[in-house]
Amino acid sequence: MTLLVTAASGHLGRLVVDALLERGVAASDIVAGVRTPAKVDDLAARGVGVVELDYSRPETLAAAFAGVDRVLLISGTDADRVAGHRNVIDAARAAGVERLVYTSAPRVDQVDYALGADHKATEEAIAASGLSATVLRHNWYTENYLDAVARAADTGEIVAAVGDARVASASRRDYAAAAAIALTTDELAGRTLEVGGDVAWTYDDLAAAAGEVLGRPVSYTAVTLEQLEAGLQAAGLDAGTAAFVAGIDDAIARGALSQTDGTLSELIGRPTTPLVDGLREGLAAR
């Protein structure tokens, strides 16, 4: 069985390749799809196949999908990522791919937020394609907070407009392990799973974890969405980007990331990485 990991030069993609190898998948049965093959020379040196694959360039997809049985579609970052995702879905269907695994966002069918809209549209495209699929709705990555923690080393505070909301984050390594399982087993076929950390923590908890990692007091400063947007613009972001970023805090405040039921830890067979450990590991890897 040949397994294609898209966006394999990224943080998550590389970890998925590692997780597949740890599960005993032969390197020769793994294909790393990347925009720039030279960026994964290290994977090629380990025996992993490498193909050029660009979501926005359909001409790269047919060749990349030749002989592939299962595909992990890691969500893209381009401005029009839904179009790119649809290109991948169409190519997978044309190639007769047996299974598609997609990394989506949490609660896109329950909470309306800008970041979730692209993922909801992609899930709908997958459903319409007729492909056998597994959708893994990732809660937040703990690594998303590394910049905030790094700033707190100087300021002693983490500023956000989320009120007392909770976040069930997990590390990329946890999500990568789940993706590897979805690719290599049959039990998750046709399922959509909300996956996240075992603990839904508050931003006061985040500040405490940051303080433990940094070795200095850190506090959480709650602001309004308007104050956050103004601060982001003062820091140099344009109005549209500032509004988008503030919109993420708004979604968090409305509970988009608050749910956790142990699905991820049950799936990967171990507890998810605790917040403080994920932050410590992430900062050490920088």
Side-chain angles (χ1 to χ4, degrees), residues 9-283:
S9 61
H11 294 299
L12 180 62
R14 284 182 171 277
L15 289 171
V16 173
V17 172
D18 288 341
L20 289 170
L21 293 170
E22 290 168 4
R23 287 184 62 78
V25 177
S28 58
D29 291 332
I30 303 171
V31 179
V34 293
R35 283 178 171 170
T36 308
K39 289 185 176 181
V40 290
D41 284 344
D42 59 314
L43 296 182
R46 296 166 70 183
V48 173
V50 176
V51 295
E52 182 182 11
L53 190 156
D54 186 334
Y55 299 171
S56 63
R57 295 171 54 219
E59 65 272 17
T60 68
L61 300 176
F65 280 63
V68 168
D69 298 294
R70 299 183 180 184
V71 175
L72 173 65
L73 170 54
I74 294 178
S75 57
T77 57
D78 291 344
D80 189 9
R81 62 174 152 188
V82 177
H85 292 169
R86 287 180 177 137
N87 289 338
V88 173
I89 294 164
D90 290 345
R93 181 175 57 185
V97 165
E98 171 193 320
R99 175 94 38 77
L100 181 72
V101 179
Y102 176 59
T103 64
S104 189
R107 304 183 66 190
V108 296
D109 57 346
Q110 301 175 51
V111 181
D112 183 18
Y113 59 108
L115 184 64
D118 287 352
H119 293 284
K120 183 178 180 181
T122 300
E123 289 188 16
E124 290 169 349
I126 292 170
S129 74
L131 286 167
S132 172
T134 302
V135 175
L136 299 174
R137 290 180 175 166
H138 290 181
N139 203 293
W140 237 220
Y141 299 135
T142 296
E143 291 87 348
N144 289 351
Y145 293 95
L146 295 180
D147 286 343
V149 173
R151 287 192 297 271
D154 296 323
T155 66
E157 65 176 352
I158 290 176
V159 179
V162 301
D164 59 358
R166 292 181 176 271
V167 176
S169 74
S171 71
R172 287 194 185 101
R173 182 163 52 86
D174 299 332
Y175 294 116
I181 290 167
L183 282 170
T184 55
T185 64
D186 295 324
E187 289 76 10
L188 303 182
R191 295 181 62 187
T192 296
L193 296 91
E194 299 277 352
V195 288
D198 293 332
V199 176
W201 45 261
T202 67
Y203 271 57
D204 284 325
D205 296 327
L206 174 62
E212 183 175 340
V213 170
L214 297 172
R216 63 153 297 170
V218 177
S219 61
Y220 162 46
T221 300
V223 298
T224 66
L225 287 172
E226 292 76 17
Q227 288 170 327
L228 180 61
E229 280 194 54
L232 292 169
Q233 290 186 53
L237 294 186
D238 63 79
T241 303
F244 180 82
V245 174
I248 294 174
D249 272 26
D250 177 53
I252 294 173
R254 289 185 288 116
L257 308 180
S258 64
Q259 292 189 350
T260 181
D261 62 4
T263 295
L264 179 55
S265 58
E266 180 180 353
L267 181 59
I268 63 180
R270 59 169 174 78
T272 58
T273 306
L275 174 61
V276 67
D277 294 339
L279 294 176
R280 184 177 287 114
E281 292 168 8
L283 289 173

